[in-house]
Structure formats: C-alpha cells, structure tokens
Amino acid sequence: MFDNFLIRKDSLENVYKDDKAIGFKFAVRIADYRGCFLSLHNGYYIECDGVEYPRELQKFEINGKVPRDFEEIKTCVWEHWNYDDEGYVYVEKEGGLTAGIHTIKLQQSVLATYGYMPWDEEWLKNPPVPGHGAGAGKTANICSFDLELQGRR
C-alpha cells in the first residue's frame, strides 16, 4: 500500500561499536495504514548492492527501546507500532557500507492482523521467510531504493 515510502531517503548510516563499523541502519515506516502489534512484525527481505541479508542479521528499533532481534520482537504482544512512527532496521555487516549510493531492495513482513487464518498457528511456530511471498502483508512487492550513505564513513 505504501511500498514506495517505506524507507526515509536520507537515513542510511553505518553503525559503529568501539569506533569500528559493524553494520548499517535505515529508517522505516510500516506499510499498514493502522499499524500493528509488534509481535506480528516478522522482519524484512533486505538486499543491499546484490547481497541478501536474512532476518537473522537484522534488528529493529522502535518505541524508544534498544534494537531487538525478531525472536524477541515476536514476544512483544502488547507493544504497538503505530502508523506514523518511524523505526530503524539494523543490519549486521562487518565493515559497514562504503561511501556513495547503495541500492536496497526491501520487503516488509507483517503477519495478518485481520483475525484467524488457517496458517496463523503454523506461522507462529515457523514464521515465513520475508521476501518469499507468504506474510508480506501490505507490501506485495520487493521495492528498490537508491540511498546515499550519510554521516561518518
């Protein structure tokens, strides 16, 4: 629904720990017009410059809390991600990104919020892999963004 507005264009930055780049991050919005309970947020299909970064290399920051992996997020059943709230996706990548423009392909995975579906119980036990169709919610397509790395490099 809001696929082309998922990433804030000026938000791509490297993430540092002890002065060493350990990955990158970018700001995102939810593609659902009414938000969702955070436990339904299942991660992202992320490809940066032709390299795919699976959910296991991703963390998510929202609601003023530290970045959390999606195993922890699926337990956040009472925490809500509101429509207009911006979150950050963190991606582990040793050395971070180089200066310049990077192509990020992205698909958000938010599980159904419309009541029980036959696959819901299975998805709780074995969430679908983002980018492979199931669980795409309002982002039916993998979207492409060209973003320039901001901040220190």
Side-chain angles (χ1 to χ4, degrees), residues 76-91:
C76 301
V77 296
W78 299 111
E79 189 176 344
H80 201 263
W81 182 9
N82 294 322
Y83 165 71
D84 201 33
D85 289 350
E86 189 174 81
Y88 274 90
V89 177
Y90 288 72
V91 179

Side-chain angles (χ1 to χ4, degrees), residues 38-44 46 54-62 65-77 79 88-92 109 127 130:
L38 201 52
S39 60
L40 296 172
H41 184 26
N42 185 45
Y44 293 87
I46 297 174
R55 178 177 45 217
E56 294 75 27
L57 297 177
Q58 303 170 25
K59 290 188 177 181
F60 188 66
E61 177 186 349
I62 191 76
K65 299 188 178 181
V66 299
R68 297 170 277 179
D69 64 31
F70 286 95
E71 283 302 305
E72 181 177 352
I73 284 176
K74 74 180 183 182
T75 68
C76 301
V77 296
E79 189 176 344
Y88 274 90
V89 177
Y90 288 72
V91 179
E92 291 179 33
S109 178

Side-chain angles (χ1 to χ4, degrees), residues 12-17 20-26 53 57 89-98 149 152:
L12 182 63
E13 299 177 20
N14 278 328
V15 176
Y16 293 87
K17 181 176 182 182
K20 180 180 175 188
I22 59 169
F24 60 94
K25 70 177 184 175
F26 50 88
Y53 295 90
L57 297 177
V89 177
Y90 288 72
V91 179
E92 291 179 33
K93 181 190 183 307
E94 188 175 332
L97 298 173
T98 58
L149 189 68
R152 72 180 187 176

